[in-house]
Amino acid sequence: MGLSIKQSEFTAEEFDRFSAKVRTDLTALTRLLDRPGFGEGASSIGAEVEFYIVNPNLHVQPINTDIAASVQDPQLTVELNRFNLEYNLSPQAFKGAPFARTEQELLKAMQRINQHAAPLNGELVAIGILPTLRQSDMGAKVMTDEPRYHALSRALIQQRGEPFSIHIGGNDVIDLQADDVTMEGATTSFQLHWRVPAHRFADYFNAVQLVTPIALALASNSPSLFGHHLWDETRIALFKQSVDSRSPNHRTWKHPPRVYYGNGWARSAWELFAASASLYPPILP
């Protein structure tokens, strides 16, 4: 995701060539997964944390590129919106106290980044959806000025054929449209990466899917958007709808959205990659 590109428009031939390479990659992945010893090694965890940047009034402060340029840390990257940053934490051996070590690294990183943000009237906030976020804070003007983000937004809109529709229920239903993908930047998260034995990937993956709803119910902390009181965890619906490239005019079969929890239990890592490659056209070639 963090790979920089130099262009934001591509030809149909470039998309076709990329699709063919993806199919070749699936064949190569099959051979790798069948290779004895592939992917074996000590279990470990990694993590990435997405932040809002706020000003002293606790409204968003669109200065991510300025902070990143000042900090000069390869583990810090800019995100889709100019008020978002992401920090990628070091891998930790999955033994002893890996979560405590991750926490200590994160706290030190936040302290260091905030020292650079303070002169720019900015501060990091780790929160799912900022309660003070306003609809006027969104739109093309807030997108980080990187070719990959412009290309991402343009491609998804072209695939959809019309603006994104955001409709979320709750005590105060919200219903609006967006001409770009910056609504996705309103949803930030803490993401864990777990290295497991390759031959037991499906077991671990299915176990995680089994407990995810419980963890989600316990950790729900984003009940509002633009002052509307919605689901206890609004990020799921907002993230799904803000990048839903399905054309509303093609409802002949239930094609899943790009953001969804899968279908049934996994049997291998390969089938997850193959399903994505089969279901969705490339966004960037």
Side-chain angles (χ1 to χ4, degrees):
M1 283 299 297
L3 184 66
S4 296
I5 60 175
K6 296 181 179 180
Q7 65 190 89
S8 59
E9 296 187 18
F10 305 91
T11 65
E13 289 76 16
E14 287 174 310
F15 277 99
D16 290 341
R17 187 163 61 248
F18 181 79
S19 296
K21 288 183 177 180
V22 169
R23 291 191 292 271
T24 302
D25 281 349
L26 287 173
T27 302
L29 179 59
T30 299
R31 293 199 295 267
L32 284 173
L33 291 173
D34 289 339
R35 180 183 297 172
F38 172 73
E40 300 300 333
S43 184
S44 62
I45 63 165
E48 53 189 276
V49 188
E50 299 167 350
F51 299 99
Y52 271 89
I53 309 167
V54 299
N55 61 25
N57 295 322
L58 300 183
H59 288 292
V60 293
Q61 183 78 319
I63 54 171
N64 63 352
T65 53
D66 300 309
I67 294 176
S70 178
V71 175
Q72 289 291 304
D73 184 342
Q75 291 174 247
L76 180 68
T77 62
V78 297
E79 265 288 346
L80 174 63
N81 289 345
R82 295 172 61 207
F83 54 73
N84 296 133
L85 282 167
E86 175 183 294
Y87 196 80
N88 296 279
L89 292 138
S90 305
Q92 299 288 342
F94 199 56
K95 60 183 179 180
F99 298 106
R101 294 193 298 270
T102 296
E103 179 190 28
Q104 289 304 309
E105 181 187 6
L106 177 59
L107 292 174
K108 290 179 182 178
M110 291 179 64
Q111 182 180 33
R112 185 172 69 255
I113 296 166
N114 278 328
Q115 289 174 348
H116 291 263
L120 302 170
N121 288 321
E123 182 179 358
L124 299 183
V125 175
I127 191 168
I129 298 177
L130 190 70
T132 57
L133 187 68
R134 301 162 295 191
Q135 193 169 345
S136 60
D137 293 324
M138 310 305 292
K141 67 183 184 299
V142 79
M143 186 182 295
T144 301
D145 192 18
E146 294 278 352
R148 71 171 299 105
Y149 295 130
H150 293 294
L152 172 73
S153 186
R154 184 181 297 111
L156 288 173
I157 280 287
Q158 287 177 347
Q159 290 181 17
R160 181 174 174 84
E162 62 178 59
F164 299 104
S165 177
I166 309 296
H167 178 83
I168 305 173
N171 294 332
D172 184 17
V173 175
I174 195 168
D175 200 347
L176 54 89
Q177 290 190 324
D179 294 321
D180 51 56
V181 298
T182 54
M183 291 291 291
E184 186 269 335
T187 67
T188 61
S189 63
F190 171 69
Q191 300 166 28
L192 276 172
H193 308 279
W194 187 14
R195 181 181 179 180
V196 301
H199 69 281
R200 293 201 61 199
F201 170 85
D203 295 333
Y204 283 86
F205 182 86
N206 291 333
V208 169
Q209 298 304 304
L210 186 64
V211 302
T212 290
I214 302 170
L216 182 65
L218 293 171
S220 293
N221 70 350
S222 299
S224 65
L225 176 67
F226 306 146
H228 292 249
H229 188 238
L230 307 169
W231 293 6
D232 287 346
E233 187 50 86
T234 292
R235 283 181 298 176
I236 296 174
L238 181 57
F239 191 93
K240 172 184 173 181
Q241 295 177 28
S242 63
V243 295
D244 191 351
S245 59
R246 296 176 299 176
S247 171
N249 299 321
H250 298 132
R251 300 185 181 276
T252 54
W253 70 295
K254 293 184 178 180
H255 192 291
R258 282 188 178 270
V259 178
Y260 81 121
Y261 280 114
N263 182 22
W265 301 115
R267 291 171 296 178
S268 69
W270 181 89
E271 72 175 25
L272 300 177
F273 287 100
S276 293
S278 300
L279 288 171
Y280 311 113
I283 304 173
L284 300 177

PDB file of all heavy atoms in Angstrom, residues 79-98:
ATOM      1  N   GLU A  79      -1.251   8.903   4.965  1.00  0.00           N
ATOM      2  CA  GLU A  79      -2.428   8.124   4.601  1.00  0.00           C
ATOM      3  C   GLU A  79      -3.258   8.880   3.576  1.00  0.00           C
ATOM      4  O   GLU A  79      -2.886   9.946   3.098  1.00  0.00           O
ATOM      5  CB  GLU A  79      -3.256   7.795   5.850  1.00  0.00           C
ATOM      6  CG  GLU A  79      -2.937   6.429   6.463  1.00  0.00           C
ATOM      7  CD  GLU A  79      -3.461   5.295   5.608  1.00  0.00           C
ATOM      8  OE1 GLU A  79      -4.281   5.539   4.707  1.00  0.00           O
ATOM      9  OE2 GLU A  79      -3.033   4.148   5.830  1.00  0.00           O
ATOM     10  N   LEU A  80      -4.432   8.312   3.246  1.00  0.00           N
ATOM     11  CA  LEU A  80      -5.294   8.845   2.194  1.00  0.00           C
ATOM     12  C   LEU A  80      -5.621  10.318   2.379  1.00  0.00           C
ATOM     13  O   LEU A  80      -5.527  11.110   1.450  1.00  0.00           O
ATOM     14  CB  LEU A  80      -6.576   8.021   2.134  1.00  0.00           C
ATOM     15  CG  LEU A  80      -7.677   8.511   1.192  1.00  0.00           C
ATOM     16  CD1 LEU A  80      -7.208   8.476  -0.251  1.00  0.00           C
ATOM     17  CD2 LEU A  80      -8.937   7.671   1.369  1.00  0.00           C
ATOM     18  N   ASN A  81      -6.024  10.700   3.596  1.00  0.00           N
ATOM     19  CA  ASN A  81      -6.396  12.091   3.857  1.00  0.00           C
ATOM     20  C   ASN A  81      -5.267  12.840   4.539  1.00  0.00           C
ATOM     21  O   ASN A  81      -4.469  12.259   5.281  1.00  0.00           O
ATOM     22  CB  ASN A  81      -7.661  12.155   4.711  1.00  0.00           C
ATOM     23  CG  ASN A  81      -8.899  11.737   3.936  1.00  0.00           C
ATOM     24  OD1 ASN A  81      -8.887  11.659   2.714  1.00  0.00           O
ATOM     25  ND2 ASN A  81      -9.978  11.452   4.647  1.00  0.00           N
ATOM     26  N   ARG A  82      -5.233  14.128   4.341  1.00  0.00           N
ATOM     27  CA  ARG A  82      -4.131  14.947   4.834  1.00  0.00           C
ATOM     28  C   ARG A  82      -4.130  15.076   6.353  1.00  0.00           C
ATOM     29  O   ARG A  82      -3.152  15.552   6.928  1.00  0.00           O
ATOM     30  CB  ARG A  82      -4.191  16.333   4.182  1.00  0.00           C
ATOM     31  CG  ARG A  82      -3.973  16.295   2.669  1.00  0.00           C
ATOM     32  CD  ARG A  82      -4.229  17.657   2.047  1.00  0.00           C
ATOM     33  NE  ARG A  82      -3.318  18.662   2.588  1.00  0.00           N
ATOM     34  CZ  ARG A  82      -3.597  19.961   2.645  1.00  0.00           C
ATOM     35  NH1 ARG A  82      -4.783  20.405   2.238  1.00  0.00           N
ATOM     36  NH2 ARG A  82      -2.718  20.814   3.123  1.00  0.00           N
ATOM     37  N   PHE A  83      -5.206  14.633   7.013  1.00  0.00           N
ATOM     38  CA  PHE A  83      -5.225  14.653   8.475  1.00  0.00           C
ATOM     39  C   PHE A  83      -4.979  13.264   9.069  1.00  0.00           C
ATOM     40  O   PHE A  83      -5.248  13.031  10.245  1.00  0.00           O
ATOM     41  CB  PHE A  83      -6.535  15.247   9.012  1.00  0.00           C
ATOM     42  CG  PHE A  83      -7.791  14.600   8.483  1.00  0.00           C
ATOM     43  CD1 PHE A  83      -8.186  13.342   8.879  1.00  0.00           C
ATOM     44  CD2 PHE A  83      -8.592  15.283   7.578  1.00  0.00           C
ATOM     45  CE1 PHE A  83      -9.346  12.753   8.398  1.00  0.00           C
ATOM     46  CE2 PHE A  83      -9.759  14.713   7.083  1.00  0.00           C
ATOM     47  CZ  PHE A  83     -10.136  13.442   7.501  1.00  0.00           C
ATOM     48  N   ASN A  84      -4.451  12.347   8.267  1.00  0.00           N
ATOM     49  CA  ASN A  84      -4.163  10.977   8.738  1.00  0.00           C
ATOM     50  C   ASN A  84      -2.691  10.635   8.563  1.00  0.00           C
ATOM     51  O   ASN A  84      -2.062  11.017   7.572  1.00  0.00           O
ATOM     52  CB  ASN A  84      -4.976   9.938   7.966  1.00  0.00           C
ATOM     53  CG  ASN A  84      -6.470  10.053   8.161  1.00  0.00           C
ATOM     54  OD1 ASN A  84      -7.226  10.012   7.210  1.00  0.00           O
ATOM     55  ND2 ASN A  84      -6.903  10.210   9.406  1.00  0.00           N
ATOM     56  N   LEU A  85      -2.153   9.882   9.518  1.00  0.00           N
ATOM     57  CA  LEU A  85      -0.817   9.304   9.443  1.00  0.00           C
ATOM     58  C   LEU A  85      -0.899   7.846   9.863  1.00  0.00           C
ATOM     59  O   LEU A  85      -1.833   7.445  10.562  1.00  0.00           O
ATOM     60  CB  LEU A  85       0.169  10.042  10.357  1.00  0.00           C
ATOM     61  CG  LEU A  85       0.721  11.390   9.876  1.00  0.00           C
ATOM     62  CD1 LEU A  85       1.410  12.101  11.026  1.00  0.00           C
ATOM     63  CD2 LEU A  85       1.682  11.204   8.712  1.00  0.00           C
ATOM     64  N   GLU A  86       0.091   7.070   9.443  1.00  0.00           N
ATOM     65  CA  GLU A  86       0.159   5.661   9.838  1.00  0.00           C
ATOM     66  C   GLU A  86       1.563   5.345  10.318  1.00  0.00           C
ATOM     67  O   GLU A  86       2.552   5.736   9.688  1.00  0.00           O
ATOM     68  CB  GLU A  86      -0.201   4.757   8.657  1.00  0.00           C
ATOM     69  CG  GLU A  86      -0.033   3.265   8.954  1.00  0.00           C
ATOM     70  CD  GLU A  86      -0.321   2.407   7.735  1.00  0.00           C
ATOM     71  OE1 GLU A  86      -1.483   2.388   7.307  1.00  0.00           O
ATOM     72  OE2 GLU A  86       0.620   1.776   7.220  1.00  0.00           O
ATOM     73  N   TYR A  87       1.628   4.620  11.444  1.00  0.00           N
ATOM     74  CA  TYR A  87       2.927   4.178  11.945  1.00  0.00           C
ATOM     75  C   TYR A  87       2.985   2.659  11.912  1.00  0.00           C
ATOM     76  O   TYR A  87       2.087   1.971  12.410  1.00  0.00           O
ATOM     77  CB  TYR A  87       3.184   4.674  13.373  1.00  0.00           C
ATOM     78  CG  TYR A  87       4.639   4.565  13.755  1.00  0.00           C
ATOM     79  CD1 TYR A  87       5.554   5.524  13.322  1.00  0.00           C
ATOM     80  CD2 TYR A  87       5.114   3.499  14.504  1.00  0.00           C
ATOM     81  CE1 TYR A  87       6.902   5.425  13.634  1.00  0.00           C
ATOM     82  CE2 TYR A  87       6.457   3.390  14.819  1.00  0.00           C
ATOM     83  CZ  TYR A  87       7.349   4.350  14.373  1.00  0.00           C
ATOM     84  OH  TYR A  87       8.690   4.248  14.671  1.00  0.00           O
ATOM     85  N   ASN A  88       4.061   2.135  11.302  1.00  0.00           N
ATOM     86  CA  ASN A  88       4.252   0.684  11.175  1.00  0.00           C
ATOM     87  C   ASN A  88       5.267   0.231  12.218  1.00  0.00           C
ATOM     88  O   ASN A  88       6.427   0.629  12.177  1.00  0.00           O
ATOM     89  CB  ASN A  88       4.743   0.352   9.762  1.00  0.00           C
ATOM     90  CG  ASN A  88       3.715   0.708   8.719  1.00  0.00           C
ATOM     91  OD1 ASN A  88       2.785  -0.038   8.490  1.00  0.00           O
ATOM     92  ND2 ASN A  88       3.871   1.879   8.089  1.00  0.00           N
ATOM     93  N   LEU A  89       4.803  -0.605  13.138  1.00  0.00           N
ATOM     94  CA  LEU A  89       5.633  -1.022  14.262  1.00  0.00           C
ATOM     95  C   LEU A  89       6.542  -2.191  13.899  1.00  0.00           C
ATOM     96  O   LEU A  89       6.264  -2.943  12.965  1.00  0.00           O
ATOM     97  CB  LEU A  89       4.734  -1.386  15.446  1.00  0.00           C
ATOM     98  CG  LEU A  89       4.024  -0.144  15.996  1.00  0.00           C
ATOM     99  CD1 LEU A  89       2.583  -0.440  16.312  1.00  0.00           C
ATOM    100  CD2 LEU A  89       4.752   0.393  17.209  1.00  0.00           C
ATOM    101  N   SER A  90       7.617  -2.343  14.630  1.00  0.00           N
ATOM    102  CA  SER A  90       8.591  -3.404  14.367  1.00  0.00           C
ATOM    103  C   SER A  90       8.001  -4.765  14.714  1.00  0.00           C
ATOM    104  O   SER A  90       7.241  -4.888  15.677  1.00  0.00           O
ATOM    105  CB  SER A  90       9.846  -3.180  15.206  1.00  0.00           C
ATOM    106  OG  SER A  90      10.378  -1.885  14.986  1.00  0.00           O
ATOM    107  N   PRO A  91       8.359  -5.823  13.974  1.00  0.00           N
ATOM    108  CA  PRO A  91       7.906  -7.175  14.327  1.00  0.00           C
ATOM    109  C   PRO A  91       8.451  -7.578  15.697  1.00  0.00           C
ATOM    110  O   PRO A  91       9.578  -7.235  16.044  1.00  0.00           O
ATOM    111  CB  PRO A  91       8.495  -8.050  13.223  1.00  0.00           C
ATOM    112  CG  PRO A  91       8.797  -7.107  12.099  1.00  0.00           C
ATOM    113  CD  PRO A  91       9.152  -5.805  12.729  1.00  0.00           C
ATOM    114  N   GLN A  92       7.614  -8.304  16.448  1.00  0.00           N
ATOM    115  CA  GLN A  92       8.010  -8.774  17.775  1.00  0.00           C
ATOM    116  C   GLN A  92       7.845 -10.289  17.832  1.00  0.00           C
ATOM    117  O   GLN A  92       6.838 -10.818  17.376  1.00  0.00           O
ATOM    118  CB  GLN A  92       7.146  -8.135  18.867  1.00  0.00           C
ATOM    119  CG  GLN A  92       7.239  -6.618  18.936  1.00  0.00           C
ATOM    120  CD  GLN A  92       8.563  -6.136  19.495  1.00  0.00           C
ATOM    121  OE1 GLN A  92       9.299  -6.906  20.143  1.00  0.00           O
ATOM    122  NE2 GLN A  92       8.886  -4.881  19.243  1.00  0.00           N
ATOM    123  N   ALA A  93       8.825 -10.973  18.410  1.00  0.00           N
ATOM    124  CA  ALA A  93       8.711 -12.417  18.598  1.00  0.00           C
ATOM    125  C   ALA A  93       7.477 -12.708  19.449  1.00  0.00           C
ATOM    126  O   ALA A  93       7.226 -12.042  20.453  1.00  0.00           O
ATOM    127  CB  ALA A  93       9.963 -12.966  19.264  1.00  0.00           C
ATOM    128  N   PHE A  94       6.704 -13.723  19.035  1.00  0.00           N
ATOM    129  CA  PHE A  94       5.448 -14.034  19.721  1.00  0.00           C
ATOM    130  C   PHE A  94       5.726 -14.905  20.942  1.00  0.00           C
ATOM    131  O   PHE A  94       5.330 -16.063  21.017  1.00  0.00           O
ATOM    132  CB  PHE A  94       4.487 -14.718  18.753  1.00  0.00           C
ATOM    133  CG  PHE A  94       3.046 -14.664  19.198  1.00  0.00           C
ATOM    134  CD1 PHE A  94       2.445 -13.455  19.473  1.00  0.00           C
ATOM    135  CD2 PHE A  94       2.311 -15.820  19.339  1.00  0.00           C
ATOM    136  CE1 PHE A  94       1.121 -13.389  19.872  1.00  0.00           C
ATOM    137  CE2 PHE A  94       0.986 -15.783  19.748  1.00  0.00           C
ATOM    138  CZ  PHE A  94       0.386 -14.558  20.021  1.00  0.00           C
ATOM    139  N   LYS A  95       6.421 -14.309  21.885  1.00  0.00           N
ATOM    140  CA  LYS A  95       6.730 -14.988  23.141  1.00  0.00           C
ATOM    141  C   LYS A  95       7.035 -13.914  24.177  1.00  0.00           C
ATOM    142  O   LYS A  95       7.313 -12.757  23.824  1.00  0.00           O
ATOM    143  CB  LYS A  95       7.916 -15.944  22.993  1.00  0.00           C
ATOM    144  CG  LYS A  95       9.210 -15.270  22.549  1.00  0.00           C
ATOM    145  CD  LYS A  95      10.319 -16.303  22.363  1.00  0.00           C
ATOM    146  CE  LYS A  95      11.607 -15.632  21.899  1.00  0.00           C
ATOM    147  NZ  LYS A  95      12.708 -16.611  21.705  1.00  0.00           N
ATOM    148  N   GLY A  96       6.958 -14.282  25.440  1.00  0.00           N
ATOM    149  CA  GLY A  96       7.186 -13.299  26.492  1.00  0.00           C
ATOM    150  C   GLY A  96       6.050 -12.297  26.542  1.00  0.00           C
ATOM    151  O   GLY A  96       4.899 -12.672  26.786  1.00  0.00           O
ATOM    152  N   ALA A  97       6.354 -11.042  26.288  1.00  0.00           N
ATOM    153  CA  ALA A  97       5.358  -9.966  26.356  1.00  0.00           C
ATOM    154  C   ALA A  97       5.377  -9.144  25.064  1.00  0.00           C
ATOM    155  O   ALA A  97       5.767  -7.977  25.065  1.00  0.00           O
ATOM    156  CB  ALA A  97       5.628  -9.078  27.566  1.00  0.00           C
ATOM    157  N   PRO A  98       4.987  -9.747  23.938  1.00  0.00           N
ATOM    158  CA  PRO A  98       5.081  -9.030  22.660  1.00  0.00           C
ATOM    159  C   PRO A  98       4.174  -7.801  22.589  1.00  0.00           C
ATOM    160  O   PRO A  98       4.538  -6.799  21.967  1.00  0.00           O
ATOM    161  CB  PRO A  98       4.664 -10.090  21.634  1.00  0.00           C
ATOM    162  CG  PRO A  98       3.795 -11.039  22.400  1.00  0.00           C
ATOM    163  CD  PRO A  98       4.401 -11.090  23.775  1.00  0.00           C
TER     164      PRO A  98
END
